[in-house]
Amino acid sequence: MLEIEQLSVELDAEAGLVRAIDGLTLTLRRGETLALVGESGCGKSMTALALMRLLPVNGRILSGAVRLDGQDLLDLPEHRMRALRGGRLAMIFQEPATSLNPVMRVGDQLVEAIEAHTPLRGAVARAKALDWLARVGIPSPERRLGDYPFQLSGGQKQRVMIAIALAAEPDYLIADEPTTALDVTIQAQILDLICDLQRERQLGVLLITHDLAVVSGMAHRVALMYAGQIVEQAAAAQFFAAPRHPYARLLLQALPDAQRRDQPLAAIAGTVPPLWLRFEGCRFEARCDRAMTHCASQPPQLADTAPDHGVRCLLYSQPGAARPREVVEPRPVPPGGRVDASPLLDVRDLRVRYALKTPWFSSGPRHFDAVAGVSYQLQAGRTLALVGESGCGKTTSGKAIVQLLRRQAQVSGQVLLDGQDLFRLHGPELVRARRELQIIFQDPFASLNPRMRVAEVLEEGLMALRPDLDAAARRARLHELVDQVGLRRDALQRWPHEFSGGQRQRIAIARALAVEPRVIVCDEPTSALDVSVQAQILNLLRELQRSRGLAYLFITHNIGVVEYIADEVAVMQSGRIVEQGACDMLLGAPREAYTRELLAAVPRLRAAAGLMM
Ligand code: SF4
């Protein structure tokens, strides 16, 4: 059994001491999956790092215990802890791009893990490595063994990380957002693999995720964290059928789907409070829709409100008068944005070809067609969702449209923006067109320059593409932007590394909005976000669309998001569009076998009752 008892972790930050985890108690048994959920910045990943004793240099464990079969891991000398890490306790990190060794071949990294933690050696270990790559769904695993991480896509790197973690045959797996970067079919395959291993080897899984549909399909128990504390802990079925903490109820209501299509999602107002604050009462009080007068002054304790159903809320221990509060009605979605029948963006026979470094003596292919002739149109005020598995060409086609592949690949076809072919533009005309067409990248960690403060990140685009604005106008625009994406204004003076993934994505969205574009390529813009932030971002994108007639090319693998936001859907496979049509028609009655397979792999929230509460 893996037990965490009254664990508290503190970090040194510029703003002062941050209590990242405050008195956390959890138990994980062999053979069970415990899901740790909550908004970004609430302490989920820090919990995983603390129990692996991998805290960043500015962090320390203040108190508590982490026991593995009764042995306190916090007392172990480092050499014994090192043997446990990757052995009995394996971890899949959130960020595959930075977790793999960039100068070591993928196969060597796998063999290293196998030789360090199993009796297998040499050729047998190499055969096992090949077997693991195949099990996690890497295509042509023999060829991939010799690749370096940079030669793999984000999804493939994540699968290699998962293979390395599982290859050591651990007793417990700490999986921090293990499938966030993966498309639904690979996600389903990886989750099935983890479930199989759980059954075979009694693997205990601590699953850290913001995807509640994955949690409902995988987890036996759920622990919901908020601002460094557990606020609700229950059996998964009970949690989804009858969530008790106001935060849990709001989270479930914030999930996008087809039923909520014409309404704003129930986003939770505000953000997680900074953890350098000293809290007098309930940490959720400022955002709670059920807050009472005494909630601001009395800290609630985690207590059982039903057998094995702990809740940290005064509603159950000291009910009282509701706090008088301003009733903020959700802003109705403004009716009828500009929907023009003529296409704003007209993509015709787009092709992207990469040269392959094939040796001269080899008869292998000399190029690879990442996009092999796709055509679609996008009207102002409309959303076209591009869906498909990773590697199918959706992100490549998005990058080609915004002219990011000019020097890297051979791009052909036509991309007409208001009738003007972008591939024929140069100089000032191209700059003007770039203002009209922006992109929000998938990876909020890699897409922001770590050496620039947020104000500089946002101002850079304005200076390049809006030379008409003076310094005062730019400053006013920056304030408007951070307000729009739900960040505090002091964020402008901070560095990207000071923000959580969700907050960084909001900065990236603010950067795309800065120059007031007409078309935005949204490349998985919410895949790194938890559901409450996702709801805020989707509401924001919809509102901007209705009020300004923005058109979105929405690249995603989240079908719930597609159902909620898309007018049309195009399904891509191997660089081609295999099916395209109106969203409800295509998702309701797909014609192609591939579309049906893709939809079947989508995790769905099993207990709908919770959504109604
Ligand atoms: Fe809301 Fe009060 Fe419960 Fe906190 S203690 S969650 S403010 S009702």
Side-chain angles (χ1 to χ4, degrees):
M1 194 190 281
L2 182 65
E3 297 163 284
I4 305 177
E5 196 182 322
Q6 287 300 320
L7 184 72
S8 293
V9 171
E10 202 165 69
L11 299 174
D12 298 315
E14 265 182 39
L17 282 180
V18 169
R19 182 67 68 89
I21 304 173
D22 198 359
L24 180 129
T25 297
L26 280 178
T27 305
L28 175 63
R29 295 176 192 86
R30 295 282 304 265
E32 81 164 352
T33 299
L34 169 64
L36 197 54
V37 297
E39 277 175 284
S40 40
C42 70
K44 310 186 295 288
S45 297
M46 204 52 74
T47 304
L49 293 174
L51 78 87
M52 296 294 277
R53 281 185 34 193
L54 288 174
L55 284 175
V57 281
N58 62 335
R60 65 199 148 269
I61 293 173
L62 283 184
S63 58
V66 178
R67 281 189 282 271
L68 179 62
D69 296 338
Q71 164 80 63
D72 193 345
L73 301 186
L74 304 184
D75 291 340
L76 283 185
E78 180 54 28
H79 71 275
R80 286 191 55 201
M81 190 63 210
R82 205 175 301 142
L84 277 178
R85 269 189 226 116
R88 288 195 67 197
L89 286 177
M91 181 157 177
I92 303 168
F93 292 92
Q94 189 172 1
E95 194 43 53
T98 53
S99 309
L100 291 171
N101 185 338
V103 293
M104 230 174 135
R105 291 176 198 276
V106 162
D108 294 341
Q109 298 191 48
L110 257 166
V111 169
E112 187 182 55
I114 293 169
E115 292 190 341
H117 299 289
T118 72
L120 306 181
R121 295 288 177 273
V124 188
R126 204 155 183 86
K128 192 75 183 165
L130 189 64
D131 181 38
W132 275 111
L133 278 191
R135 283 190 87 175
V136 295
I138 295 276
S140 323
E142 299 87 355
R143 189 157 63 81
R144 291 305 191 185
L145 272 181
D147 280 354
Y148 288 96
F150 78 89
Q151 293 171 287
L152 307 180
S153 71
Q156 287 169 340
K157 275 186 241 183
Q158 185 65 310
R159 282 181 264 168
V160 169
M161 272 297 302
I162 292 168
I164 290 174
L166 297 177
E169 303 186 358
D171 292 338
Y172 294 93
L173 178 68
I174 320 302
D176 188 358
E177 302 282 4
T179 55
T180 301
L182 306 180
D183 51 72
V184 286
T185 46
I186 299 296
Q187 169 173 278
Q189 189 183 338
I190 297 290
L191 296 178
D192 281 351
L193 177 64
I194 293 176
C195 288
D196 287 350
L197 287 170
Q198 185 162 59
R199 275 189 294 273
E200 271 170 36
R201 309 196 62 255
Q202 286 295 296
L203 183 71
V205 180
L206 180 64
L207 178 69
I208 297 173
T209 181
H210 63 265
D211 190 334
L212 292 171
V214 168
V215 172
S216 83
M218 282 274 290
H220 300 102
R221 286 188 302 128
V222 178
L224 175 65
M225 279 189 88
Y226 187 79
Q229 296 182 321
I230 300 280
V231 295
E232 181 159 355
Q233 195 171 169
Q238 212 171 357
F239 178 82
F240 286 107
R244 297 195 147 207
H245 196 281
Y247 177 50
R249 293 175 190 223
L250 289 170
L251 270 186
L252 288 168
Q253 286 168 358
L255 290 171
D257 60 18
Q259 280 77 48
R260 297 184 171 90
R261 208 176 147 77
D262 292 320
Q263 346 157 358
L265 293 170
I268 308 174
T271 52
V272 180
L275 296 182
W276 62 79
L277 294 178
R278 292 289 162 253
F279 297 97
E280 299 275 307
C282 173
R283 297 174 183 204
F284 190 58
E285 193 262 345
R287 306 173 75 189
C288 182
D289 60 344
R290 310 271 308 267
M292 302 170 291
T293 38
H294 55 295
C295 292
S297 55
Q298 285 185 38
Q301 303 303 319
L302 188 65
D304 275 352
T305 56
D308 288 329
H309 195 150
V311 182
R312 189 186 294 274
C313 175
L314 296 173
L315 279 175
Y316 302 95
S317 54
Q318 295 175 45
R323 174 188 69 183
R325 64 194 165 96
E326 213 184 314
V327 179
V328 185
E329 292 296 336
R331 259 195 295 174
V333 177
R338 185 163 79 87
V339 180
D340 206 333
S342 58
L344 176 57
L345 183 73
D346 189 356
V347 176
R348 297 180 185 173
D349 197 29
L350 180 69
R351 291 169 187 269
V352 181
R353 171 171 286 185
Y354 287 98
L356 290 179
K357 290 196 181 98
T358 314
W360 62 269
F361 51 81
S362 159
S363 59
R366 309 256 156 208
H367 59 255
F368 165 66
D369 290 324
V371 179
V374 300
S375 302
Y376 50 81
Q377 295 184 336
L378 183 56
Q379 279 82 23
R382 308 277 289 176
T383 300
L384 169 68
L386 218 47
V387 300
E389 292 175 281
S390 58
C392 72
K394 22 184 224 303
T395 295
T396 307
S397 74
K399 283 185 176 170
I401 289 165
V402 287
Q403 313 291 302
L404 291 179
L405 300 179
R406 282 191 166 203
R407 287 169 201 277
Q408 298 168 22
Q410 199 182 321
V411 182
S412 61
Q414 283 186 309
V415 175
L416 305 171
L417 183 68
D418 250 350
Q420 230 186 354
D421 189 354
L422 298 185
F423 290 155
R424 298 185 182 281
L425 299 183
H426 297 280
E429 280 185 318
L430 181 61
V431 170
R432 255 196 308 280
R434 281 206 159 127
R435 192 170 128 187
E436 306 268 295
L437 191 57
Q438 289 287 305
I439 184 166
I440 301 166
F441 292 101
Q442 176 178 9
D443 186 347
F445 292 87
S447 67
L448 298 176
N449 186 335
R451 295 197 178 90
M452 288 168 90
R453 289 183 194 270
V454 172
E456 294 168 301
V457 168
L458 300 183
E459 207 169 5
E460 189 184 36
L462 280 177
M463 286 168 79
L465 301 175
R466 291 291 308 271
D468 53 308
L469 298 182
D470 62 15
R474 284 200 303 270
R475 182 116 312 247
R477 180 83 185 117
L478 296 194
H479 286 164
E480 197 180 294
L481 285 166
V482 285
D483 292 349
Q484 257 180 352
V485 298
L487 289 170
R488 294 188 336 206
R489 289 195 178 177
D490 63 0
L492 287 171
Q493 293 317 317
R494 291 163 64 195
W495 303 95
H497 74 262
E498 295 177 59
F499 295 91
S500 64
Q503 290 166 328
R504 284 186 219 204
Q505 195 59 308
R506 292 196 220 187
I507 298 168
I509 291 172
R511 177 176 56 185
L513 294 174
V515 290
E516 300 184 47
R518 292 165 72 202
V519 180
I520 302 185
V521 175
C522 304
D523 185 6
E524 303 274 13
T526 59
S527 71
L529 307 181
D530 50 75
V531 287
S532 63
V533 183
Q534 172 175 273
Q536 289 171 17
I537 297 295
L538 291 178
N539 284 347
L540 172 66
L541 291 175
R542 278 177 60 104
E543 207 176 301
L544 290 166
Q545 183 169 61
R546 300 288 172 117
S547 59
R548 299 189 194 172
L550 283 179
Y552 300 132
L553 177 66
F554 213 97
I555 298 167
T556 183
H557 60 251
N558 185 331
I559 301 294
V561 171
V562 173
E563 285 175 339
Y564 177 70
I565 201 162
D567 299 297
E568 280 190 75
V569 182
V571 183
M572 279 189 79
Q573 186 189 22
S574 308
R576 292 190 171 79
I577 292 178
V578 293
E579 187 166 0
Q580 187 169 357
C583 181
D584 44 355
M585 293 290 290
L586 190 141
L587 297 184
R591 288 194 316 268
E592 296 293 321
Y594 175 73
T595 312
R596 286 197 289 274
E597 269 170 43
L598 195 69
L599 296 178
V602 175
R604 299 268 171 185
L605 212 55
R606 280 191 309 197
L611 297 175
M612 311 315 295
M613 300 195 63

